[in-house]
Amino acid sequence: MKNDSEFTAEFTAEMLRKAKDNLMYFTNKPDIVFSRGEGSYLWDTEGNRYIDMIAGWAVCCLGHTPPVVADALNRQAALLVNPSPSFYNVPAIEFAEILCGISCMDKVFFINSGAEANESAVKLARKYGQKYKNGAYEIITAWNSFHGRTLAMMAATGKKYWDPLFPPRPEGFVRVNYNDIEDLRAAVSPNTCAIMLELIQGEGGVIVGDKDYIKQVREICDSNDIVFIIDEVQTGLGRLGRMFGYEAYDIEPDVMTLAKGIGGGFPLSAMLAKDKFCCFNIGDVGGTYCGTPLAAAVGKAVVEEIIRSNLVDTVKRNGDYFTERLLALRDKNIGICGVRGMGLLLAAELADESAERVKDICVDNYLLINAPNKKCLRFMPALNISADEIDGALAVLERALLEVYS
Ligand SMILES: *Cc1c(COP(=O)(O)O)cnc(C)c1O
């Protein structure tokens, strides 16, 4: 779809040339340059409008450029950006109170990315092991998991093809098969200080944790005094049609990490813990940008908006609708053989390894979707996406599937 007032093709070509000259290569990107976003739409420099099922990677929970984020940024930027992490500031205090109020957690540590929040959770668990569990330091994580890209979080993450990268690897991470309680039980030892899991393995292709499994993990942690860390970076703050994913599993974690949606697109993350586990000493964690008023003001505005607009209920409704429509598409036998997920974290399993091709055809037709692996398409739109926008996206997807599978 065209919009007349945008840039020219020459400008786009120049941008792409400069991008290749000056931006460090680390992944393949399509020859598109985005310049503007609103709600569930993005516009490129040639005025094409895309419907966005990626939402900044499950980040822009209120859609692109929501007014509450712009307002909070503007207001706070004019007041105080960063007094330094060694002083208290108003937005961080107020936002921490909100997060503790809506979750089962007692304390918050703010940082900037999901990987850093998880890294901080691992530090907290190892501190707990050092202080109260004879130096236990091992963290059990799951194969097919994703916890971030710092060196330690790459070791925590369950991607086999990452293991040989950047040796030597940080030690002390033990991987087990997801949803396999016996495998996990066998991995627990006196050295285990924590078990860290996602409730839905998002990057792993939207693999949903079994309720029984998660409950049994909780029991294993309780009976062995092991810290249960739940990585809610992708599942937290409404994405699953619950404020936090753990609510759908009828358990409470000991430590929880949040990122992605928490800033509505602005970099911010948090590691939350119950009082019993808050055992850091001076200097154990920190960072120049931990809990800046600017980031906290944005996070506070985003979460207040999630609460005010009852967004969690909207996600439940939209998630049901989206799932229903995906199932209808599956029933047409044009390539989708399975649908899974919860809320607005959904995936379609394809009959063969054409996910990349389907995704590329969708992008050519102005629909942005993600293919986490060769057989899977993932949908993680803005939480306030409308039924019409879902219909629009699925119409493009249907045409792409017809092109590949008929
Ligand atoms: C995205 C993600 C991370 C990493 O977050 P970054 O902000 O990219 O560091 C960690 N855990 C899960 C479950 C994620 O989805």
Side-chain angles (χ1 to χ4, degrees):
M1 214 173 281
K2 284 274 183 190
N3 177 320
D4 39 327
S5 66
E6 309 280 335
F7 308 88
T8 59
E10 292 70 41
F11 177 76
T12 303
E14 187 192 346
M15 281 292 111
L16 289 169
R17 182 179 52 72
K18 287 182 176 176
K20 276 149 203 174
D21 277 355
N22 303 309
L23 290 173
M24 195 176 291
Y25 173 83
F26 63 92
T27 190
N28 295 324
K29 299 180 183 184
D31 282 348
I32 303 168
V33 182
F34 284 113
S35 59
R36 191 158 67 82
E38 195 185 321
S40 285
Y41 295 101
L42 283 174
W43 283 262
D44 69 15
T45 46
E46 293 182 37
N48 299 301
R49 188 184 79 165
Y50 296 70
I51 181 152
D52 185 8
M53 295 287 125
I54 296 177
W57 221 267
V59 162
C60 303
C61 55
L62 304 177
H64 292 286
T65 60
V68 288
V69 168
D71 288 349
L73 271 173
N74 282 327
R75 231 177 315 119
Q76 192 59 43
L79 272 177
L80 180 64
V81 172
N82 189 2
S84 106
S86 55
F87 300 109
Y88 291 123
N89 69 74
V90 175
I93 295 167
E94 291 181 343
F95 188 28
E97 182 189 19
I98 292 172
L99 288 174
C100 293
I102 59 173
S103 73
C104 62
M105 295 296 167
D106 298 312
K107 300 277 193 293
V108 183
F109 171 70
F110 289 116
I111 192 98
N112 308 291
S113 66
E116 288 173 295
N118 287 335
E119 186 106 8
S120 308
V122 163
K123 281 188 181 178
L124 191 68
R126 285 194 175 169
K127 198 74 186 186
Y128 186 79
Q130 241 165 36
K131 284 187 169 170
Y132 307 114
K133 284 178 60 74
N134 297 315
Y137 63 90
E138 271 176 8
I139 316 281
I140 298 175
T141 64
W143 288 114
N144 198 47
S145 64
F146 183 84
H147 298 295
R149 293 173 182 277
T150 59
L151 285 172
M153 287 310 103
M154 288 184 82
T157 289
K159 287 186 200 250
K160 282 200 174 77
Y161 71 92
W162 271 11
D163 286 354
L165 301 180
F166 317 122
R169 300 175 69 231
E171 290 172 18
F173 295 94
V174 177
R175 270 83 58 92
V176 298
N177 294 322
Y178 193 57
N179 278 339
D180 179 343
I181 199 69
E182 291 318 317
D183 203 36
L184 187 138
R185 232 183 268 286
V188 170
S189 82
N191 277 331
T192 310
C193 69
I195 297 172
M196 178 162 76
L197 297 174
E198 296 156 275
L199 297 170
I200 294 186
Q201 294 184 321
E203 301 308 302
V206 190
I207 306 301
V208 181
D210 296 336
K211 198 163 172 181
D212 263 6
Y213 174 73
I214 298 296
K215 282 195 156 170
Q216 290 180 72
V217 176
R218 179 66 274 178
E219 283 162 24
I220 290 171
C221 288
D222 286 340
S223 44
N224 295 280
D225 192 24
I226 290 169
V227 185
F228 192 4
I229 303 169
I230 296 192
D231 177 345
E232 292 237 26
V233 166
Q234 190 154 154
T235 54
L237 293 165
R239 176 66 49 191
L240 302 189
R242 307 279 185 148
M243 187 57 84
F244 301 103
Y246 68 75
E247 295 168 23
Y249 286 81
D250 296 327
I251 55 115
E252 292 184 358
D254 302 315
V255 174
M256 162 171 80
T257 54
L258 300 172
K260 295 211 161 90
I262 195 175
F266 194 82
L268 175 64
S269 68
M271 187 268 285
L272 299 90
K274 296 205 172 189
D275 273 331
K276 177 184 173 192
F277 302 96
C278 296
C279 57
F280 279 142
N281 293 343
I282 289 177
D284 284 346
V285 286
T288 310
Y289 300 118
C290 68
T292 68
L294 192 63
V298 174
K300 175 172 171 270
V302 168
V303 173
E304 280 176 341
E305 179 63 14
I306 291 175
I307 297 167
R308 189 201 62 75
S309 62
N310 258 321
L311 196 53
V312 171
D313 289 339
T314 309
V315 173
K316 231 179 274 164
R317 220 173 30 246
N318 283 341
D320 287 348
Y321 181 70
F322 207 139
T323 304
E324 212 177 274
R325 293 297 320 274
L326 280 172
L327 288 170
L329 209 47
R330 179 199 63 184
D331 293 343
K332 292 186 177 178
N333 280 318
I334 47 172
I336 293 178
C337 61
V339 174
R340 59 177 179 260
M342 215 188 281
L344 283 174
L345 180 54
L346 297 170
E349 185 76 8
L350 298 183
D352 65 10
E353 300 196 337
S354 299
E356 200 68 24
R357 214 180 128 214
V358 174
K359 181 198 82 176
D360 289 344
I361 296 172
C362 287
V363 174
D364 288 344
N365 290 284
Y366 310 112
L367 166 64
L368 304 175
I369 56 172
N370 165 246
N373 64 53
K374 289 177 181 163
K375 291 191 72 178
C376 174
L377 300 172
R378 177 170 46 161
F379 309 89
M380 40 185 172
L383 301 184
N384 55 10
I385 190 170
S386 70
D388 277 355
E389 288 161 346
I390 293 171
D391 288 344
L394 289 182
V396 177
L397 176 62
E398 181 167 354
R399 287 199 299 276
L401 290 169
L402 284 170
E403 193 173 327
V404 173
Y405 289 100
S406 64

